[in-house]
Amino acid sequence: MTISSSLNAGVAGLQANATRLASISDNIANSSTYGYKRVQTDFESLVVSSRGGTYSAGGVRADTRRLIDERGPLVSTSNATDLAIRGRGFLPVAQATEVEVANGDTSMFLTTTGSFRTDAEGYLRTNSGLVLLGWPANTDGTIPTFPRDTSDGLEPVQINVNLFSGEPTTNMALGINLPATETEASASGDTQQLSVEYYDNLGTSESINITFTPTVPATGSSNEWTMTLTDSVDPLTTIGEYTLTFADDRTSGGTLATVTTISGGAYDPLTGNLIVNVAGGPIEIDIGQIGESDGITQLSDNFAPVSISKDGSPVGNMTSVEVDENGYVYAYFDTGITSRIYQVPLVDLPNPNGMVALDHQTYQPSVDSGSFFLWDASDGPTGDVLAFALEESATDVAGELTSMIQTQRAYTSNAKVIQTVDEMLQETTNIKR
Protein backbone atom coordinates (compact mmCIF):
# COMPACT_ATOMS: atom_id res chain seq x y z
CA MET A 1 0.00 0.00 0.00
CA THR A 2 1.09 3.57 -0.65
CA ILE A 3 0.35 4.62 2.92
CA SER A 4 2.49 1.77 4.22
CA SER A 5 5.36 2.85 1.99
CA SER A 6 5.05 6.33 3.51
CA LEU A 7 5.51 4.79 6.94
CA ASN A 8 8.54 2.82 5.77
CA ALA A 9 10.03 5.93 4.18
CA GLY A 10 9.63 7.84 7.44
CA VAL A 11 11.38 5.05 9.33
CA ALA A 12 14.17 5.01 6.73
CA GLY A 13 14.48 8.79 7.14
CA LEU A 14 14.87 8.39 10.90
CA GLN A 15 17.56 5.75 10.43
CA ALA A 16 19.44 7.80 7.82
CA ASN A 17 19.45 10.96 9.93
CA ALA A 18 20.46 8.98 13.00
CA THR A 19 23.45 7.72 10.99
CA ARG A 20 24.29 11.26 9.95
CA LEU A 21 24.05 12.45 13.54
CA ALA A 22 26.41 9.66 14.59
CA SER A 23 29.02 10.80 12.06
CA ILE A 24 28.59 14.43 13.16
CA SER A 25 29.03 13.38 16.79
CA ASP A 26 32.19 11.49 15.90
CA ASN A 27 33.59 14.51 14.05
CA ILE A 28 32.87 16.91 16.92
CA ALA A 29 34.22 14.48 19.51
CA ASN A 30 37.52 14.35 17.56
CA SER A 31 37.77 18.05 16.81
CA SER A 32 40.93 18.17 18.98
CA THR A 33 42.39 14.85 17.82
CA TYR A 34 45.63 15.30 15.86
CA GLY A 35 45.41 13.82 12.37
CA TYR A 36 41.69 13.01 12.57
CA LYS A 37 39.92 12.72 9.20
CA ARG A 38 36.31 13.84 8.98
CA VAL A 39 33.47 11.37 8.27
CA GLN A 40 30.90 12.52 5.74
CA THR A 41 27.39 11.08 5.42
CA ASP A 42 25.54 11.34 2.11
CA PHE A 43 21.93 10.37 1.41
CA GLU A 44 20.80 8.25 -1.53
CA SER A 45 17.18 7.96 -2.58
CA LEU A 46 15.52 4.59 -3.19
CA VAL A 47 13.07 4.76 -6.08
CA VAL A 48 10.33 2.13 -6.38
CA SER A 49 8.68 1.89 -9.79
CA SER A 50 5.10 3.11 -9.90
CA ARG A 51 2.28 2.51 -12.33
CA GLY A 52 -0.81 4.47 -13.03
CA GLY A 53 -1.76 7.07 -10.48
CA THR A 54 -0.21 5.32 -7.49
CA TYR A 55 3.23 6.00 -6.08
CA SER A 56 5.16 3.96 -3.51
CA ALA A 57 7.80 5.73 -1.44
CA GLY A 58 11.16 4.02 -1.55
CA GLY A 59 12.74 6.06 1.22
CA VAL A 60 16.36 6.99 1.73
CA ARG A 61 19.63 5.27 2.45
CA ALA A 62 22.68 6.73 4.24
CA ASP A 63 26.19 6.27 2.88
CA THR A 64 29.21 7.23 5.02
CA ARG A 65 32.84 7.63 4.00
CA ARG A 66 35.96 8.96 5.66
CA LEU A 67 37.66 11.79 3.77
CA ILE A 68 41.22 10.62 4.28
CA ASP A 69 42.63 12.93 1.62
CA GLU A 70 41.46 16.04 3.51
CA ARG A 71 44.22 17.71 5.52
CA GLY A 72 43.91 19.69 8.72
CA PRO A 73 45.95 22.79 9.58
CA LEU A 74 49.54 22.36 10.81
CA VAL A 75 50.59 23.57 14.24
CA SER A 76 54.16 24.10 15.52
CA THR A 77 55.53 22.12 18.47
CA SER A 78 58.77 21.97 20.45
CA ASN A 79 59.57 18.30 19.78
CA ALA A 80 61.97 17.65 16.88
CA THR A 81 60.34 14.30 16.11
CA ASP A 82 56.78 15.61 15.92
CA LEU A 83 56.15 14.97 12.23
CA ALA A 84 53.51 16.11 9.78
CA ILE A 85 53.25 16.05 5.99
CA ARG A 86 52.90 19.26 4.06
CA GLY A 87 51.07 18.08 0.98
CA ARG A 88 50.23 14.65 -0.34
CA GLY A 89 51.51 11.38 1.13
CA PHE A 90 51.48 9.27 4.28
CA LEU A 91 54.05 8.25 6.89
CA PRO A 92 54.64 4.48 7.18
CA VAL A 93 54.17 3.15 10.72
CA ALA A 94 53.79 -0.19 12.48
CA GLN A 95 52.13 -1.36 15.66
CA ALA A 96 54.54 -1.47 18.60
CA THR A 97 53.12 -4.86 19.61
CA GLU A 98 54.27 -6.35 16.30
CA VAL A 99 57.68 -4.66 16.53
CA GLU A 100 58.25 -6.05 20.03
CA VAL A 101 57.65 -9.59 18.77
CA ALA A 102 60.64 -9.06 16.44
CA ASN A 103 59.76 -11.88 14.06
CA GLY A 104 60.36 -9.72 10.98
CA ASP A 105 56.68 -9.86 9.94
CA THR A 106 55.56 -6.28 10.57
CA SER A 107 52.47 -4.89 8.84
CA MET A 108 52.68 -1.38 7.42
CA PHE A 109 50.01 1.14 8.38
CA LEU A 110 49.75 4.73 7.21
CA THR A 111 49.22 8.02 9.02
CA THR A 112 49.65 11.69 8.24
CA THR A 113 51.08 12.89 11.55
CA GLY A 114 52.51 11.64 14.81
CA SER A 115 54.31 12.74 17.94
CA PHE A 116 57.23 10.31 17.96
CA ARG A 117 59.63 9.93 20.88
CA THR A 118 62.19 7.28 21.74
CA ASP A 119 61.02 4.49 24.04
CA ALA A 120 63.09 2.25 26.30
CA GLU A 121 64.35 0.29 23.28
CA GLY A 122 65.16 3.41 21.27
CA TYR A 123 62.25 3.07 18.83
CA LEU A 124 60.57 6.26 17.65
CA ARG A 125 56.96 5.67 18.72
CA THR A 126 53.83 7.55 19.70
CA ASN A 127 51.88 7.24 22.95
CA SER A 128 49.29 5.22 21.04
CA GLY A 129 51.90 2.60 20.12
CA LEU A 130 52.77 3.52 16.53
CA VAL A 131 56.41 3.00 15.52
CA LEU A 132 57.89 5.02 12.66
CA LEU A 133 59.27 2.96 9.74
CA GLY A 134 62.16 3.86 7.44
CA TRP A 135 65.04 2.58 5.35
CA PRO A 136 68.32 2.16 7.28
CA ALA A 137 71.37 4.00 5.96
CA ASN A 138 74.81 2.55 5.35
CA THR A 139 77.67 3.47 7.65
CA ASP A 140 78.69 6.25 5.26
CA GLY A 141 75.19 7.76 5.33
CA THR A 142 74.07 6.61 1.89
CA ILE A 143 70.69 4.91 1.47
CA PRO A 144 70.78 1.53 -0.32
CA THR A 145 68.35 0.79 -3.13
CA PHE A 146 65.10 -0.69 -1.78
CA PRO A 147 61.95 -1.83 -3.62
CA ARG A 148 59.38 0.95 -3.89
CA ASP A 149 56.20 -1.10 -4.39
CA THR A 150 56.48 -3.13 -1.20
CA SER A 151 57.16 -2.46 2.46
CA ASP A 152 59.65 -5.33 2.79
CA GLY A 153 62.68 -3.03 3.07
CA LEU A 154 61.22 -0.84 5.81
CA GLU A 155 62.48 -1.24 9.37
CA PRO A 156 61.41 0.34 12.66
CA VAL A 157 63.42 3.53 13.19
CA GLN A 158 65.55 2.74 16.25
CA ILE A 159 67.81 5.35 17.82
CA ASN A 160 70.76 4.18 19.89
CA VAL A 161 70.88 6.90 22.54
CA ASN A 162 74.31 5.64 23.64
CA LEU A 163 75.68 5.96 20.12
CA PHE A 164 79.23 7.24 19.74
CA SER A 165 80.70 8.58 16.52
CA GLY A 166 84.17 9.46 15.35
CA GLU A 167 85.65 9.98 11.91
CA PRO A 168 89.32 9.46 10.99
CA THR A 169 91.18 12.24 9.23
CA THR A 170 91.79 11.51 5.56
CA ASN A 171 92.38 15.01 4.12
CA MET A 172 94.35 18.09 5.12
CA ALA A 173 95.00 21.45 3.49
CA LEU A 174 98.02 23.58 4.45
CA GLY A 175 98.03 27.33 3.94
CA ILE A 176 101.46 28.39 5.23
CA ASN A 177 103.79 31.26 4.46
CA LEU A 178 107.52 30.64 4.78
CA PRO A 179 109.90 33.60 5.32
CA ALA A 180 111.75 34.43 2.10
CA THR A 181 114.58 36.02 4.07
CA GLU A 182 115.60 32.64 5.51
CA THR A 183 116.82 31.38 2.13
CA GLU A 184 119.26 34.28 1.62
CA ALA A 185 122.99 33.91 1.96
CA SER A 186 123.10 35.95 5.15
CA ALA A 187 120.31 33.99 6.90
CA SER A 188 120.77 31.96 10.07
CA GLY A 189 119.13 28.87 8.52
CA ASP A 190 116.67 28.35 11.41
CA THR A 191 114.09 25.64 10.82
CA GLN A 192 110.36 26.30 11.12
CA GLN A 193 108.23 23.73 12.87
CA LEU A 194 104.50 23.02 12.75
CA SER A 195 102.29 20.36 14.33
CA VAL A 196 98.93 19.53 12.71
CA GLU A 197 96.45 17.43 14.68
CA TYR A 198 94.61 14.52 13.08
CA TYR A 199 92.25 11.78 14.34
CA ASP A 200 93.09 8.13 13.90
CA ASN A 201 90.70 5.26 13.23
CA LEU A 202 89.76 5.04 16.92
CA GLY A 203 89.08 8.75 17.27
CA THR A 204 92.32 9.35 19.15
CA SER A 205 94.10 12.66 18.65
CA GLU A 206 97.51 12.36 16.99
CA SER A 207 99.60 14.83 15.01
CA ILE A 208 101.75 15.17 11.92
CA ASN A 209 104.90 17.10 12.79
CA ILE A 210 106.23 19.17 9.90
CA THR A 211 109.69 20.72 9.75
CA PHE A 212 110.69 23.29 7.14
CA THR A 213 114.47 23.59 6.69
CA PRO A 214 115.76 26.41 4.45
CA THR A 215 118.62 25.96 2.00
CA VAL A 216 121.12 28.77 2.70
CA PRO A 217 123.31 29.46 -0.36
CA ALA A 218 126.80 30.94 -0.42
CA THR A 219 125.51 33.91 -2.37
CA GLY A 220 122.09 35.24 -3.39
CA SER A 221 118.86 33.45 -2.52
CA SER A 222 118.05 29.77 -3.01
CA ASN A 223 114.25 30.06 -2.54
CA GLU A 224 114.37 26.41 -1.50
CA TRP A 225 113.07 24.54 1.55
CA THR A 226 113.08 20.93 2.65
CA MET A 227 109.75 19.81 4.14
CA THR A 228 109.99 16.78 6.44
CA LEU A 229 106.92 15.06 7.92
CA THR A 230 106.82 12.64 10.86
CA ASP A 231 103.98 10.94 12.72
CA SER A 232 103.55 11.45 16.48
CA VAL A 233 102.85 7.71 16.80
CA ASP A 234 106.45 7.03 15.69
CA PRO A 235 108.34 10.34 15.67
CA LEU A 236 111.64 8.73 14.65
CA THR A 237 110.28 7.59 11.30
CA THR A 238 109.94 10.03 8.41
CA ILE A 239 106.69 9.55 6.50
CA GLY A 240 107.45 12.10 3.82
CA GLU A 241 110.24 14.44 2.66
CA TYR A 242 109.99 16.98 -0.16
CA THR A 243 112.10 19.76 -1.64
CA LEU A 244 110.06 22.91 -2.26
CA THR A 245 111.31 25.56 -4.67
CA PHE A 246 109.54 28.90 -4.96
CA ALA A 247 109.34 31.31 -7.87
CA ASP A 248 110.86 34.80 -7.57
CA ASP A 249 109.64 36.40 -10.82
CA ARG A 250 107.33 39.40 -10.96
CA THR A 251 104.12 37.49 -11.82
CA SER A 252 104.44 34.31 -9.72
CA GLY A 253 106.80 35.40 -6.98
CA GLY A 254 106.33 33.52 -3.73
CA THR A 255 104.34 30.61 -5.19
CA LEU A 256 105.51 27.04 -5.65
CA ALA A 257 107.72 26.54 -8.69
CA THR A 258 108.67 22.87 -8.24
CA VAL A 259 108.12 20.09 -5.70
CA THR A 260 110.59 17.22 -5.66
CA THR A 261 109.67 14.03 -3.82
CA ILE A 262 112.50 12.54 -1.75
CA SER A 263 110.33 10.04 0.17
CA GLY A 264 106.64 9.47 0.75
CA GLY A 265 103.81 9.76 -1.74
CA ALA A 266 104.43 11.59 -4.99
CA TYR A 267 103.30 15.20 -5.39
CA ASP A 268 100.53 15.71 -8.00
CA PRO A 269 101.02 19.12 -9.68
CA LEU A 270 97.50 19.00 -11.14
CA THR A 271 95.78 18.83 -7.76
CA GLY A 272 98.50 20.13 -5.46
CA ASN A 273 98.13 17.03 -3.28
CA LEU A 274 100.50 14.49 -1.84
CA ILE A 275 99.75 11.37 0.21
CA VAL A 276 101.57 10.26 3.35
CA ASN A 277 100.94 7.12 5.38
CA VAL A 278 100.41 7.55 9.12
CA ALA A 279 99.88 4.65 11.52
CA GLY A 280 96.14 4.49 10.77
CA GLY A 281 96.34 4.77 6.99
CA PRO A 282 96.91 7.31 4.21
CA ILE A 283 96.23 11.04 4.57
CA GLU A 284 96.00 13.29 1.53
CA ILE A 285 97.63 16.70 2.10
CA ASP A 286 96.96 19.70 -0.13
CA ILE A 287 100.02 22.00 -0.23
CA GLY A 288 98.88 24.00 -3.26
CA GLN A 289 99.32 23.86 -7.02
CA ILE A 290 102.27 25.21 -8.95
CA GLY A 291 101.92 28.96 -9.41
CA GLU A 292 98.93 29.26 -7.06
CA SER A 293 98.91 31.22 -3.81
CA ASP A 294 96.34 29.20 -1.85
CA GLY A 295 98.79 26.65 -0.41
CA ILE A 296 102.37 26.95 0.81
CA THR A 297 104.02 30.25 -0.17
CA GLN A 298 107.30 32.06 0.48
CA LEU A 299 106.88 35.79 1.04
CA SER A 300 108.29 38.51 3.32
CA ASP A 301 110.06 37.58 6.56
CA ASN A 302 107.29 35.94 8.62
CA PHE A 303 106.45 32.30 9.25
CA ALA A 304 102.65 32.24 9.27
CA PRO A 305 100.38 29.16 9.30
CA VAL A 306 97.44 31.19 8.03
CA SER A 307 95.05 28.42 7.04
CA ILE A 308 95.12 24.84 8.32
CA SER A 309 92.05 22.67 7.63
CA LYS A 310 91.29 18.97 7.94
CA ASP A 311 88.41 16.55 8.10
CA GLY A 312 87.70 13.92 10.74
CA SER A 313 86.45 14.28 14.29
CA PRO A 314 87.03 12.87 17.75
CA VAL A 315 84.60 10.45 19.35
CA GLY A 316 81.42 12.22 20.43
CA ASN A 317 78.11 11.45 22.15
CA MET A 318 74.79 11.67 20.33
CA THR A 319 72.78 14.63 21.61
CA SER A 320 69.66 14.81 19.43
CA VAL A 321 67.77 13.41 16.44
CA GLU A 322 66.00 15.41 13.76
CA VAL A 323 64.14 14.69 10.52
CA ASP A 324 64.56 17.02 7.54
CA GLU A 325 62.06 17.91 4.83
CA ASN A 326 63.31 15.06 2.61
CA GLY A 327 62.56 12.46 5.29
CA TYR A 328 66.21 11.86 6.25
CA VAL A 329 66.76 11.09 9.94
CA TYR A 330 69.96 12.65 11.28
CA ALA A 331 71.81 12.00 14.53
CA TYR A 332 73.64 15.02 15.98
CA PHE A 333 76.75 14.65 18.15
CA ASP A 334 78.35 17.01 20.65
CA THR A 335 81.43 17.26 18.43
CA GLY A 336 79.39 18.97 15.73
CA ILE A 337 79.22 15.89 13.52
CA THR A 338 75.92 14.97 11.84
CA SER A 339 75.24 11.41 10.69
CA ARG A 340 72.39 10.25 8.44
CA ILE A 341 70.91 7.06 9.90
CA TYR A 342 67.50 6.50 8.22
CA GLN A 343 65.26 7.71 5.41
CA VAL A 344 61.52 7.85 5.95
CA PRO A 345 59.69 7.56 2.60
CA LEU A 346 56.24 8.95 1.89
CA VAL A 347 53.56 6.52 0.73
CA ASP A 348 51.08 7.50 -1.97
CA LEU A 349 48.04 5.71 -3.38
CA PRO A 350 45.65 6.46 -6.28
CA ASN A 351 42.57 6.57 -4.01
CA PRO A 352 43.44 7.39 -0.38
CA ASN A 353 39.74 7.46 0.57
CA GLY A 354 39.49 3.79 -0.35
CA MET A 355 41.80 2.72 2.48
CA VAL A 356 40.52 0.93 5.56
CA ALA A 357 40.34 3.27 8.55
CA LEU A 358 41.68 1.89 11.84
CA ASP A 359 42.25 3.18 15.36
CA HIS A 360 44.73 5.95 16.22
CA GLN A 361 44.29 7.76 12.87
CA THR A 362 45.92 4.93 10.93
CA TYR A 363 44.89 3.47 7.61
CA GLN A 364 45.62 0.33 5.67
CA PRO A 365 45.77 0.00 1.88
CA SER A 366 42.98 -2.02 0.30
CA VAL A 367 41.75 -3.10 -3.14
CA ASP A 368 39.68 0.08 -3.37
CA SER A 369 42.66 2.35 -2.59
CA GLY A 370 44.87 0.86 -5.29
CA SER A 371 48.53 -0.16 -5.08
CA PHE A 372 50.84 2.03 -3.02
CA PHE A 373 54.28 3.38 -3.95
CA LEU A 374 57.08 4.58 -1.68
CA TRP A 375 58.38 7.99 -2.77
CA ASP A 376 61.23 10.13 -1.56
CA ALA A 377 59.69 13.09 0.25
CA SER A 378 59.25 16.11 -2.06
CA ASP A 379 59.55 13.80 -5.07
CA GLY A 380 56.80 12.85 -7.47
CA PRO A 381 53.30 13.74 -6.23
CA THR A 382 54.23 13.79 -2.56
CA GLY A 383 54.83 16.76 -0.30
CA ASP A 384 57.60 17.17 2.24
CA VAL A 385 58.05 16.15 5.86
CA LEU A 386 57.68 18.91 8.42
CA ALA A 387 59.40 18.42 11.78
CA PHE A 388 58.43 20.32 14.94
CA ALA A 389 54.82 20.16 13.70
CA LEU A 390 51.59 18.18 14.01
CA GLU A 391 48.49 18.10 11.84
CA GLU A 392 45.31 19.15 13.62
CA SER A 393 41.88 17.59 13.12
CA ALA A 394 40.18 18.18 9.78
CA THR A 395 36.87 18.83 11.58
CA ASP A 396 35.22 22.22 11.10
CA VAL A 397 33.19 22.55 14.30
CA ALA A 398 31.05 25.40 12.98
CA GLY A 399 30.15 23.40 9.89
CA GLU A 400 29.37 20.30 11.95
CA LEU A 401 27.06 22.26 14.28
CA THR A 402 25.24 23.64 11.27
CA SER A 403 24.82 20.12 9.89
CA MET A 404 23.57 19.01 13.29
CA ILE A 405 20.76 21.58 13.18
CA GLN A 406 19.79 20.44 9.69
CA THR A 407 19.87 16.80 10.79
CA GLN A 408 17.70 17.55 13.81
CA ARG A 409 15.10 19.29 11.67
CA ALA A 410 15.12 16.45 9.14
CA TYR A 411 14.75 13.87 11.92
CA THR A 412 11.82 15.78 13.40
CA SER A 413 10.16 16.01 10.01
CA ASN A 414 10.46 12.27 9.43
CA ALA A 415 9.04 11.62 12.88
CA LYS A 416 6.13 13.89 11.91
CA VAL A 417 5.56 11.76 8.79
CA ILE A 418 5.31 8.65 10.96
CA GLN A 419 2.90 10.44 13.28
CA THR A 420 0.75 11.55 10.34
CA VAL A 421 0.66 8.03 8.86
CA ASP A 422 -0.30 6.68 12.27
CA GLU A 423 -3.23 9.10 12.49
CA MET A 424 -4.36 8.21 8.98
CA LEU A 425 -4.23 4.50 9.77
CA GLN A 426 -6.21 5.18 12.92
CA GLU A 427 -8.86 6.90 10.84
CA THR A 428 -8.95 3.90 8.55
CA THR A 429 -9.52 1.47 11.43
CA ASN A 430 -12.34 3.71 12.75
CA ILE A 431 -14.41 3.33 9.56
CA LYS A 432 -17.62 1.46 10.36
CA ARG A 433 -19.62 -0.67 8.12
Side-chain angles (χ1 to χ4, degrees), residues 4-202:
S4 297
S5 69
S6 300
L7 181 63
N8 293 333
V11 172
L14 292 179
Q15 293 174 339
N17 282 280
T19 300
R20 188 182 188 191
L21 182 62
S23 65
I24 293 173
S25 302
D26 213 4
N27 291 339
I28 294 177
N30 287 279
S31 60
S32 298
T33 302
Y34 288 117
Y36 176 77
K37 305 302 180 182
R38 185 171 64 91
V39 177
Q40 178 176 288
T41 301
D42 296 323
F43 293 154
E44 299 175 357
S45 62
L46 297 177
V47 178
V48 180
S49 61
S50 59
R51 295 178 180 178
T54 62
Y55 179 82
S56 294
V60 66
R61 179 168 55 192
D63 177 60
T64 61
R65 61 173 179 167
R66 191 171 297 275
L67 303 178
I68 302 174
D69 58 351
E70 282 193 0
R71 295 302 171 97
L74 303 181
V75 58
S76 298
T77 68
S78 58
N79 178 29
T81 49
D82 283 351
L83 304 179
I85 299 175
R86 183 167 47 193
R88 188 180 176 111
F90 296 85
L91 295 170
V93 294
Q95 295 290 345
T97 51
E98 293 185 359
V99 174
E100 291 169 356
V101 174
N103 59 3
D105 187 16
T106 303
S107 300
M108 182 187 72
F109 300 92
L110 304 178
T111 188
T112 56
T113 190
S115 180
F116 299 96
R117 296 178 185 269
T118 54
D119 63 8
E121 300 297 326
Y123 292 112
L124 280 181
R125 60 175 289 177
T126 65
N127 288 335
S128 58
L130 300 178
V131 178
L132 186 65
L133 299 179
W135 292 318
N138 295 322
T139 55
D140 60 355
T142 59
I143 305 297
T145 301
F146 290 98
R148 299 294 184 124
D149 57 350
T150 177
S151 61
D152 292 345
L154 295 174
E155 296 182 4
V157 176
Q158 187 175 24
I159 308 300
N160 183 3
V161 294
N162 295 319
L163 184 64
F164 295 92
S165 177
E167 295 182 0
T169 299
T170 57
N171 290 278
M172 286 184 182
L174 304 180
I176 303 170
N177 182 68
L178 300 174
T181 55
E182 289 298 321
T183 62
E184 296 177 354
S186 59
S188 60
D190 294 337
T191 60
Q192 307 292 336
Q193 296 182 349
L194 177 68
S195 179
V196 181
E197 183 186 37
Y198 74 89
Y199 302 103
D200 65 11
N201 300 334
L202 300 179

Side-chain angles (χ1 to χ4, degrees), residues 303-320:
F303 175 72
V306 293
S307 175
I308 307 295
S309 62
K310 59 183 181 294
D311 62 3
S313 67
V315 174
N317 300 307
M318 191 184 72
T319 56
S320 63

Side-chain angles (χ1 to χ4, degrees), residues 338-355:
T338 303
S339 177
R340 182 187 297 170
I341 53 179
Y342 284 94
Q343 181 186 4
V344 178
L346 293 187
V347 186
D348 187 55
L349 312 93
N351 178 25
N353 293 333
M355 290 191 292

Side-chain angles (χ1 to χ4, degrees), residues 19 22 54 74 76 83 147 175 199 249 273 283-284 314 329 367 376 433:
T19 300
T54 62
L74 303 181
S76 298
L83 304 179
Y199 302 103
D249 57 275
N273 297 336
I283 294 180
E284 188 171 359
V329 183
V367 175
D376 294 339
R433 292 183 177 181

